[in-house]
Amino acid sequence: MNFFRGVMGGQAAGPQPSGAETIQKLCDRVASSTLLEDRRDAVRALKSLSKKYRVEVGTQAMDHLINILQTDRSDSEILGYALDTLYNLISNDEEEEQDETAQKQADDLGAQFTDTFIQDPEHVTLLLTLLEEFDFHVRWPGVKLLTALLKNQGVQVQGIILVSPMGVSRLMDLLADSREVIRNDGLLLLQQLTKSNAAIQKIVAFENAFERLLDIITEEGSSDGGIVVEDCLLLLLNLLKNNSSNQNFFKEGSYIQRMKPWFEVGDDNSGWSAQKVTNLHLMLQLVRVMVSPVNSPGASASCQRSMYQCGLLQQLCTILMATGVPADILTETINTVSEVIRGSQINQDYFASVNAPSNPPRPAIVVLLMSMVNERQPFVLRCAVLYCFQCFLYKNQKGQGEIVATLLPSTIDANSISAGQLLCGGLFSVDSLSNWCAAVALAHALQDNLTQKEQLLRVQLATSLGKPPVSLLQQCTNILSQGDKIARRGSKVQTRVGLLMLLCTWINNCPIAVTHFLHNQENVPFLTAQISENLGEDERLVQGLCALLLGICIYYNDNSLENYTKEKLKQLIEKRIGKENFVEKLGFITKHELYSRAAQKPQPVFPSPEQMLFDHEFTKLVKELEGVITKAVHKSSEEEKKEEEVKKTLEQHDNIVTQYKELIREQDAQIQELKEQVSTMSAQNEQMQTTLTQQLSQIQQHKDQYNILKLKLGKDNHSQSNSQGDGSQMNGLQMEEVTQLRAELEELRMQHTLLQTQLGDKDTLINSLRSESSQTAEGSAAESDNSELLKELEALRSQVQSQSAEIHQMGTEREELIRRAEAASSDAAPSSDGSLDAQKMAELESRLAAQTNETERLKAEAKSLSQSRVELEQQLASATSTVAILQTENAKLQTEVQESKKEQDDLLMLLADQDQKIHSLKQKLKDLGETVDDEDDLDTRDQTDDDYEEDEDED
């Protein structure tokens, strides 16, 4: 122990060993000592020396320290010392006193030790196992060590953790640790773990990371929280950025709604802390990640819709219009609102309705444009407002119309400031950056909107008192031609580039605007002079844009001006400039170094105002027009004429094809209508089948009732025969009862005759139904059901006949009873015992009364059954007639379908002929060197194929 006191405590007498020797002795003690206390003291000593003698400890003791982690798992103290020592060796914590060279050496040393540690992946797996220990002295240094490993060799360590069983899950458990130090360092660990690894990002997200992180942010006070909130937001950004799966999971989990409370700010926004600014900035970035233009359009649109529905967009607009918000937060909020409304009609409409809290209230768009054209505002803020305006107009023809309408004479209000007035003011300002921003903003109001391009031609400007007004188009060209004569603040090239981009966007694909532009006699000479001059490097971009503008005038020229037809403009280029020189100048645009930067993303981000030259949407326009303008300039007049003829022929054929398409659409509609009718008929048929099934069930019920009645009649006949036998043995009956029995027997005979008559009528009706069903037996499934019904009716008829026979038998037995009664009355002598005769007579009368009641009941049941049979026969007749009607309608529909198919075959033959003619004409165009787009042909063929498939399905 004296050795350790020499290392850890005071100085011993005699020569002191060197650091390397001391470390060697400590390593030997760690490796050879059998007592846990000795090993623990040796590791503690190595920890104290690990920072000063980092190289020596790392090279000599690392294997021993790893062995300690494997063998001494039961002692948390020695594990903590070993982990702390390894962390000191691997970590590259920056120290203020170190210079850059020393820091670089330390970084290299940490990377080397990290490579040594992860050479065996089991070491990382061992470290993950140690993180399951709840002891603070083991878990915390383990978290720090793993974080340092990820910082030095992130990709390799990520791969090891990814394949380790439950590796990511163990690290996610750190967020649930009740000790804030471990939880907070766990956040830093997960930040390093999720960097640039989509697989780990998905695993972490599905380990309920979003729920836990949002809970921590809420517990820490949201935007008012400290550094922990910042760490949570950074981790969320890692999980969501460029990861569509996690973004969809975040949206589907309704976590967007939980972001709304983050942006609730009060009226007093003064004195924001630096941490709150940082937190809110990250929160806004998180919103932008969900609706970024680089995401798939469907995913962004879904998130935009959710943000509007939950009120998040409304909350952002509140911050936008609030006072006292720091400038950088305001700028980021504008950028966030821009991407939330970009391409979403409902969000754009809401943004158009937002008013600033001023007196009188002004639209938010107007307030933002006032900042954009104000040269005293920060450059980044002006760029953000321009981006917001561009996003508001992106795919928003309604918004474009509203902006252009503020410039038209009929809608100008002299008492209020409109967006159009602000744009014109910025367009003609002496500040070049305002010129460029206003020109680009106005160009976005015309993007892909032919109607607004034509409407903007009506705008008239009053330049000065006593002079007639000039059009906006003319004023733009005047400023362009007089650019060098006007004193401006900033780059003169920037103003001219902005105006040229506006003019190119304006007259593109708008022959009327081209005509208005060429009508000014000074425009074409100015453009040719600019293109033909040999100017400096800064002016080459202006030359390229002038060439593009002149090329658009050629390509979209409708030859309405005799002096500036396509052919004359091409001759002018050939004489004044030269075709090759013109094409070379046109290529200056795409070769410019700032062109490719602007083409990367829609947001205008520039390091300085001087580099603000290209707009993202304009780069798309240049890419689209450069090739077609080059071809248009090189075409000869004969090729132009041939192309015009071919175009006219193609237009004629296109009209014919369009007519046939309309005809086919009408026939498709008719076929669809017929199909719907067939479906309706089928539904009715199914309903009839259901009704028929119900009738069959009712018939079965009546059959069961007949069987029950038969059994009852059998019992009653037996009881009647017994009563008749008893009556014959009686001494005698009075003549009045015999007469009454005869009358009742006669009545039963009449009823029997009536039943026989009804039975005959029903037999006739059944035979007629059977003949009708035999005629339609091959028609449909409904007729087979009718035959089954007829069979059951036949069986019912036989049962009724048997019942009638039983009734007849009952009548015969009653006649026999009467005969016996008469014989008994004639042979028997009158009895002197009057009381006995009266008793027997009463008994006989009661029996006769019971028999009479039973007979009446049987008659009522027979009548009810007869009525039921009549109703069944009526229902059967109705079903049969319905089936016949359905068969007739089906035959008509089949005939109509066959006629439609024949007409479509004729039309298809005509279309095939037209396709062959079009193909030959396009082949001629290709032979002439013209590129022909086959998209219309493909659409026609696809439509024809679809019609064929539908006809085959119907057959």
Side-chain angles (χ1 to χ4, degrees):
M1 297 300 292
N2 292 331
F3 171 76
F4 294 111
R5 292 191 188 95
V7 174
M8 305 294 296
Q11 299 293 329
Q16 296 295 323
S18 64
E21 293 174 351
T22 303
I23 293 169
Q24 181 62 46
K25 291 179 181 179
L26 291 172
C27 291
D28 293 340
R29 183 60 61 91
V30 171
S32 60
S33 179
T34 57
L35 292 177
L36 179 60
E37 293 182 358
D38 291 345
R39 293 198 302 274
R40 186 191 302 138
D41 291 338
V43 175
R44 184 192 297 119
L46 288 173
K47 173 189 171 184
S48 64
L49 297 173
S50 58
K51 289 187 177 181
K52 185 176 181 180
Y53 299 100
R54 186 179 181 187
V55 177
E56 292 80 1
V57 174
T59 53
Q60 299 182 40
M62 181 170 287
D63 294 337
H64 300 295
L65 294 171
I66 294 173
N67 188 52
I68 288 291
L69 298 179
Q70 295 171 339
T71 57
D72 291 330
R73 293 283 301 276
S74 60
D75 187 72
S76 60
E77 190 174 357
I78 193 173
L79 289 178
Y81 292 149
L83 291 171
D84 282 332
T85 306
L86 290 172
Y87 172 74
N88 291 337
L89 298 176
I90 292 173
S91 175
N92 294 322
D93 291 339
E94 297 182 3
E95 297 182 7
E96 297 180 358
E97 298 178 358
Q98 290 183 345
D99 56 10
E100 294 182 2
T101 305
Q103 184 62 42
K104 187 176 183 305
Q105 292 175 354
D107 294 344
D108 294 341
L109 197 58
Q112 292 175 10
F113 289 144
T114 301
D115 291 336
T116 304
F117 185 85
I118 66 174
Q119 278 180 355
D120 187 355
E122 290 298 326
H123 296 165
V124 180
T125 306
L126 174 63
L127 187 55
L128 292 173
T129 307
L130 292 174
L131 290 179
E132 294 181 350
E133 296 288 340
F134 186 74
D135 192 286
F136 180 80
H137 298 289
V138 177
R139 204 172 204 185
W140 187 39
V143 171
K144 294 194 296 181
L145 176 58
L146 190 54
T147 305
L149 292 173
L150 285 165
K151 285 181 179 179
N152 293 338
Q153 296 292 346
V155 178
Q156 292 86 337
V157 179
Q158 284 173 342
I160 297 171
I161 295 175
L162 190 59
V163 299
S164 176
M166 300 297 291
V168 178
S169 299
R170 292 170 180 170
L171 300 180
M172 286 299 300
D173 292 339
L174 298 174
L175 296 182
D177 200 304
S178 58
R179 295 160 294 192
E180 290 189 2
V181 175
I182 295 179
R183 185 199 67 183
N184 298 344
D185 282 350
L187 288 171
L188 300 177
L189 170 59
L190 290 172
Q191 285 181 28
Q192 297 297 326
L193 180 65
T194 55
K195 279 186 177 179
S196 305
N197 193 309
I200 293 180
Q201 290 169 1
K202 292 178 182 179
I203 296 173
V204 171
F206 283 96
E207 288 284 346
N208 206 23
F210 294 139
E211 184 76 27
R212 296 184 185 182
L213 292 172
L214 292 175
D215 288 342
I216 294 173
I217 291 173
T218 304
E219 292 171 3
E220 295 292 329
S222 298
S223 60
D224 293 324
I227 190 69
V228 178
V229 173
E230 179 182 350
D231 293 336
C232 290
L233 293 170
L234 289 172
L235 179 54
L236 285 172
L237 284 173
N238 280 356
L239 295 176
L240 293 174
K241 196 169 186 178
N242 300 324
N243 193 317
S244 58
S245 175
N246 283 0
Q247 290 173 6
N248 184 61
F249 181 63
F250 191 85
K251 178 182 70 68
E252 296 296 335
S254 300
Y255 296 119
I256 290 179
Q257 288 80 342
R258 296 186 59 178
M259 298 166 66
K260 179 190 174 185
W262 296 352
F263 303 102
E264 294 178 355
V265 297
D267 297 333
D268 185 13
N269 294 312
S270 59
W272 284 25
S273 65
Q275 187 62 55
K276 181 174 182 178
V277 172
T278 302
N279 291 344
L280 203 55
H281 197 275
L282 291 173
M283 291 172 177
L284 292 169
Q285 286 185 1
L286 195 60
V287 176
R288 293 184 65 183
V289 164
M290 298 298 297
V291 293
S292 174
V294 301
N295 297 344
S296 64
S300 294
S302 179
C303 293
Q304 288 171 334
R305 189 163 50 251
S306 298
M307 290 176 183
Y308 172 77
Q309 292 172 351
C310 74
L312 179 58
L313 174 60
Q314 294 85 329
Q315 203 65 49
L316 293 173
C317 291
T318 302
I319 297 177
L320 201 66
M321 295 292 105
T323 57
V325 178
D328 52 347
I329 293 298
L330 180 61
T331 302
E332 189 65 20
T333 304
I334 294 173
N335 288 328
T336 305
V337 171
S338 305
E339 293 181 353
V340 173
I341 68 174
R342 188 176 190 269
S344 175
Q345 187 64 53
I346 185 172
N347 291 4
Q348 290 167 339
D349 292 343
Y350 170 77
F351 184 70
S353 66
V354 175
N355 288 323
S358 59
N359 191 15
R362 288 176 177 169
I365 297 175
V366 173
V367 175
L368 291 175
L369 288 177
M370 292 172 68
S371 300
M372 185 186 74
V373 297
N374 186 354
E375 57 184 304
R376 291 190 296 272
Q377 293 293 338
F379 173 64
V380 290
L381 179 63
R382 300 174 72 181
C383 291
V385 173
L386 175 62
Y387 184 45
C388 184
F389 191 74
Q390 292 173 349
C391 292
F392 169 68
L393 298 178
Y394 182 71
K395 294 183 179 180
N396 183 11
Q397 293 194 353
K398 177 183 176 183
Q400 289 175 325
E402 292 172 352
I403 296 299
V404 173
T406 59
L407 286 166
L408 299 178
S410 58
T411 59
I412 293 178
D413 186 3
N415 297 324
S416 62
I417 300 176
S418 65
Q421 293 173 347
L422 289 171
L423 291 177
C424 283
L427 196 62
F428 308 131
S429 170
V430 294
D431 177 35
S432 61
L433 184 58
S434 298
N435 301 154
W436 190 91
C437 291
V440 171
L442 197 55
H444 277 262
L446 306 175
Q447 194 78 36
D448 299 326
N449 195 327
L450 182 60
T451 303
Q452 303 310 323
K453 291 178 182 179
E454 295 176 356
Q455 287 291 323
L456 200 62
L457 295 172
R458 298 170 47 202
V459 177
Q460 300 290 321
L461 301 175
T463 56
S464 60
L465 294 175
K467 292 186 179 181
V470 297
S471 66
L472 177 61
L473 182 66
Q474 182 61 45
Q475 184 65 15
C476 290
T477 57
N478 291 342
I479 296 175
L480 188 64
S481 60
Q482 300 173 2
D484 295 336
K485 302 176 182 179
I486 301 175
R488 298 185 182 278
R489 289 187 293 273
S491 172
K492 295 181 180 179
V493 173
Q494 191 175 44
T495 299
R496 301 172 71 184
V497 168
L499 290 171
L500 285 168
M501 287 195 298
L502 171 61
L503 291 173
C504 289
T505 305
W506 192 346
I507 70 173
N508 176 55
N509 198 21
C510 183
I512 298 177
V514 171
T515 302
H516 278 71
F517 180 79
L518 295 177
H519 193 269
N520 186 352
Q521 303 294 329
E522 300 177 356
N523 290 340
V524 174
F526 168 74
L527 293 178
T528 55
Q530 287 289 317
I531 299 170
S532 60
E533 290 181 1
N534 292 321
L535 301 176
E537 193 72 23
D538 295 338
E539 297 291 334
R540 295 180 68 179
L541 178 57
V542 176
Q543 286 183 311
L545 292 172
C546 289
L548 178 66
L549 184 59
L550 186 57
I552 294 174
C553 293
I554 296 174
Y555 188 72
Y556 290 105
N557 194 335
D558 57 0
N559 295 326
S560 58
L561 293 178
E562 184 177 356
N563 294 332
Y564 294 111
T565 61
K566 286 185 178 182
E567 187 59 31
K568 290 186 177 180
L569 286 175
K570 287 194 289 186
Q571 292 176 0
L572 183 64
I573 289 175
E574 189 171 3
K575 292 179 182 178
R576 299 282 182 87
I577 305 169
K579 292 182 178 180
E580 299 301 328
N581 191 26
F582 177 85
V583 173
E584 181 184 359
K585 297 293 178 66
L586 183 62
F588 285 166
I589 302 175
T590 55
K591 293 177 182 178
H592 199 278
E593 59 180 353
L594 298 178
Y595 175 86
S596 58
R597 182 184 300 177
Q600 291 176 358
K601 57 182 180 179
Q603 183 181 0
V605 179
F606 304 97
S608 64
E610 292 77 16
Q611 296 185 8
M612 201 171 187
L613 292 178
F614 284 105
D615 173 57
H616 177 75
E617 293 297 328
F618 182 74
T619 59
K620 294 181 181 179
L621 181 64
V622 173
K623 186 177 180 180
E624 175 186 348
L625 292 177
E626 185 177 8
V628 296
I629 289 175
T630 302
K631 291 180 180 179
V633 170
H634 282 94
K635 284 180 183 176
S636 62
S637 58
E638 295 180 357
E639 291 175 346
E640 288 281 350
K641 292 180 181 179
K642 290 181 180 180
E643 184 179 350
E644 290 294 333
E645 293 177 358
V646 172
K647 281 185 178 179
K648 289 180 180 179
T649 307
L650 286 176
E651 287 178 359
Q652 294 176 357
H653 286 292
D654 288 342
N655 292 334
I656 296 173
V657 170
T658 303
Q659 293 176 1
Y660 281 125
K661 284 182 178 179
E662 293 292 336
L663 182 59
I664 290 173
R665 289 192 186 97
E666 292 177 0
Q667 291 184 346
D668 285 341
Q670 294 176 359
I671 291 173
Q672 187 65 30
E673 184 178 355
L674 292 175
K675 286 182 178 179
E676 292 177 357
Q677 293 179 3
V678 170
S679 300
T680 304
M681 294 295 181
S682 300
Q684 292 177 357
N685 190 14
E686 291 178 359
Q687 186 177 1
M688 293 298 179
Q689 293 286 352
T690 305
T691 305
L692 198 58
T693 304
Q694 294 176 354
Q695 292 176 357
L696 290 174
S697 64
Q698 292 177 0
I699 291 173
Q700 183 63 37
Q701 293 176 2
H702 288 301
K703 286 173 65 179
D704 296 339
Q705 292 176 1
Y706 272 118
N707 292 332
I708 296 171
L709 181 61
K710 181 179 178 181
L711 293 174
K712 288 183 178 180
L713 286 173
K715 292 179 180 179
D716 293 340
N717 289 334
H718 182 68
S719 63
Q720 288 174 4
S721 63
N722 292 335
S723 66
Q724 289 173 353
D726 294 338
S728 64
Q729 296 174 2
M730 291 170 55
N731 291 330
L733 292 171
Q734 294 183 355
M735 290 303 295
E736 290 135 355
E737 274 114 20
V738 172
T739 304
Q740 185 178 1
L741 286 173
R742 286 178 178 175
E744 290 175 357
L745 180 61
E746 189 66 28
E747 185 178 357
L748 284 174
R749 285 177 179 174
M750 292 176 63
Q751 291 178 359
H752 178 70
T753 304
L754 181 62
L755 287 173
Q756 290 289 344
T757 304
Q758 292 177 354
L759 188 61
D761 295 337
K762 291 178 176 57
D763 289 340
T764 305
L765 181 60
I766 289 171
N767 291 330
S768 63
L769 289 173
R770 185 182 300 160
S771 62
E772 291 176 359
S773 65
S774 63
Q775 293 175 0
T776 59
E778 299 177 356
S780 64
E783 295 169 340
S784 63
D785 294 337
N786 292 338
S787 63
E788 293 292 332
L789 182 61
L790 289 173
K791 290 179 182 179
E792 295 187 3
L793 286 175
E794 183 65 24
L796 185 62
R797 186 175 67 83
S798 63
Q799 291 179 3
V800 173
Q801 288 178 352
S802 63
Q803 185 182 10
S804 299
E806 291 174 358
I807 293 173
H808 180 69
Q809 183 180 1
M810 183 182 70
T812 304
E813 291 175 356
R814 292 197 62 179
E815 288 178 357
E816 181 67 21
L817 175 64
I818 294 170
R819 187 180 62 75
R820 290 178 182 180
E822 289 175 350
S825 63
S826 61
D827 295 337
S831 175
S832 61
D833 195 350
S835 62
L836 182 61
D837 291 338
Q839 183 179 1
K840 291 181 179 179
M841 184 61 68
E843 184 179 357
L844 182 60
E845 286 176 355
S846 65
R847 290 180 179 177
L848 286 174
Q851 185 179 7
T852 302
N853 293 335
E854 184 66 19
T855 303
E856 291 295 328
R857 187 180 65 79
L858 291 174
K859 287 193 290 184
E861 289 182 357
K863 184 177 180 181
S864 174
L865 292 173
S866 176
Q867 292 176 354
S868 300
R869 287 192 59 185
V870 171
E871 292 175 358
L872 289 174
E873 289 166 358
Q874 291 176 354
Q875 292 176 359
L876 181 60
S878 175
T880 306
S881 62
T882 304
V883 170
I885 293 171
L886 289 174
Q887 289 177 345
T888 304
E889 292 293 330
N890 190 17
K892 289 181 180 179
L893 291 176
Q894 291 291 340
T895 305
E896 292 176 355
V897 169
Q898 292 296 330
E899 291 176 356
S900 299
K901 181 180 178 183
K902 183 177 179 182
E903 291 176 0
Q904 283 192 347
D905 290 338
D906 296 338
L907 291 174
L908 290 172
M909 293 295 294
L910 292 174
L911 284 174
D913 295 338
Q914 292 298 328
D915 286 340
Q916 186 175 3
K917 291 179 182 179
I918 292 171
H919 180 71
S920 62
L921 290 171
K922 289 187 175 180
Q923 188 61 39
K924 291 180 181 179
L925 276 176
K926 291 179 180 179
D927 295 338
L928 293 172
E930 179 68 20
T931 302
V932 180
D933 190 2
D934 295 332
E935 184 177 357
D936 292 338
D937 294 342
L938 291 174
D939 292 341
T940 305
R941 292 169 188 164
D942 291 340
Q943 181 66 35
T944 307
D945 293 340
D946 292 340
D947 294 338
Y948 267 121
E949 291 175 1
E950 291 178 2
D951 293 338
E952 289 175 0
D953 293 339
E954 291 178 359
D955 292 341

